[in-house]
Amino acid sequence: DGGITQSPKYLFRKEGQNVTLSCEQNLNHDAMYWYRQDPGQGLRLIYYSQIVNDFQKGDIAEGYSVSREKKESFPLTVTSAQKNPTAFYLCASKPQGIGREKLFFGSGTQLSVL
Amino acid sequence: AQSVAQPEDQVNVAEGNPLTVKCTYSVSGNPYLFWYVQYPNRGLQFLLKYITGDNLVKGSYGFEAEFNKSQTSFHLKKPSALVSDSALYFCAVSDQTGANNLFFGTGTRLTVIP
């Protein structure tokens, strides 16, 4: 069954702690994305990667870091520098190429601060 | 800079009645336009897209949207609403460079009343 798997579903962070959100896809998609969703603000792009070992900052990258060591995986680390991390985090992927604009989303991770 | 406006935070409609969820956009050049739907605590699901061609686009679950260039609008419509259509709907736009700079609206919550 193909798709995008995000884990954990719920995550709690203590002050000063780094936490990592997992995103794995078995769709053989080249591009992967991380979005942050806050109530009433829509989705905002944190980071994206179009190819293994390369990634680009989105609109709100400060306080976050990513890696893309494998095509299937694009983990997001929320660092202690992110002062307001409570949000719903969504991972997405898509194939590259013309006519392939549709994004496929995971089920999300809700991050809360203790 | 590109932007999307969804002027209604909440839309209520009776089951069986037609529904409209409004979206207007601003982008340089020709737009790529999308509608996504989000059910509670889930990721987004693609409904439909407009890239070029016929202004009336048909998508999943009986939804359709009409691209109106003069009014810079891309309203989502369905002839007969179902209770199961109740969800959060997002309009999104990018320019021709693709989904790496996909900009989402703030979302409209649709409630279909039995």
Side-chain angles (χ1 to χ4, degrees), chain B residues 15-106:
Chain B
E15 186 177 22
N17 282 4
L19 69 86
T20 299
V21 182
K22 296 180 180 177
C23 172
T24 59
Y25 67 90
S26 174
V27 69
S28 299
N30 294 323
Y32 286 17
L33 293 157
F34 305 82
W35 276 101
Y36 286 84
V37 61
Q38 184 179 34
Y39 297 99
N41 299 315
R42 301 299 301 274
L44 277 65
Q45 296 178 30
F46 173 83
L47 279 179
L48 50 81
K49 68 179 181 182
Y50 172 83
I51 304 298
T52 187
D54 195 348
N55 289 344
L56 185 63
V57 179
K58 294 190 182 296
S60 306
Y61 313 120
F63 284 93
E64 58 189 28
E66 186 167 11
F67 172 63
N68 188 317
K69 188 172 184 178
S70 63
Q71 298 185 5
T72 61
S73 67
F74 190 57
H75 301 331
L76 181 70
K77 300 182 180 184
K78 187 174 182 181
S80 178
L82 301 173
V83 173
S84 58
D85 293 330
S86 298
L88 187 58
Y89 290 81
F90 289 96
C91 182
V93 65
S94 72
D95 61 23
Q96 290 178 331
T97 59
N100 293 334
N101 58 344
L102 192 62
F103 193 89
F104 286 85
T106 53

Side-chain angles (χ1 to χ4, degrees), chain A residues 25 28-33 47-56 66-75 92-97, chain B residues 100:
Chain A
Q25 55 100 359
N28 199 34
H29 287 171
D30 293 302
M32 297 188 74
Y33 305 81
Y47 268 99
Y48 65 96
S49 168
Q50 294 178 279
I51 195 169
V52 174
N53 292 323
D54 186 52
F55 47 83
Q56 306 296 327
V66 294
S67 63
R68 187 88 186 275
E69 297 177 1
K70 299 186 300 181
K71 187 176 185 177
E72 302 79 18
S73 179
F74 191 41
S93 71
K94 78 174 188 74
Q96 295 285 54
Chain B
N100 293 334

Side-chain angles (χ1 to χ4, degrees), chain A residues 13-55:
Chain A
R13 193 191 90 166
K14 295 180 181 179
E15 197 163 334
Q17 184 182 41
N18 293 353
V19 292
T20 297
L21 285 60
S22 171
C23 178
E24 303 277 334
Q25 55 100 359
N26 61 4
L27 300 168
N28 199 34
H29 287 171
D30 293 302
M32 297 188 74
Y33 305 81
W34 275 106
Y35 288 91
R36 171 177 170 144
Q37 183 178 12
D38 295 279
Q41 293 193 42
L43 277 68
R44 293 180 289 170
L45 183 64
I46 305 172
Y47 268 99
Y48 65 96
S49 168
Q50 294 178 279
I51 195 169
V52 174
N53 292 323
D54 186 52
F55 47 83

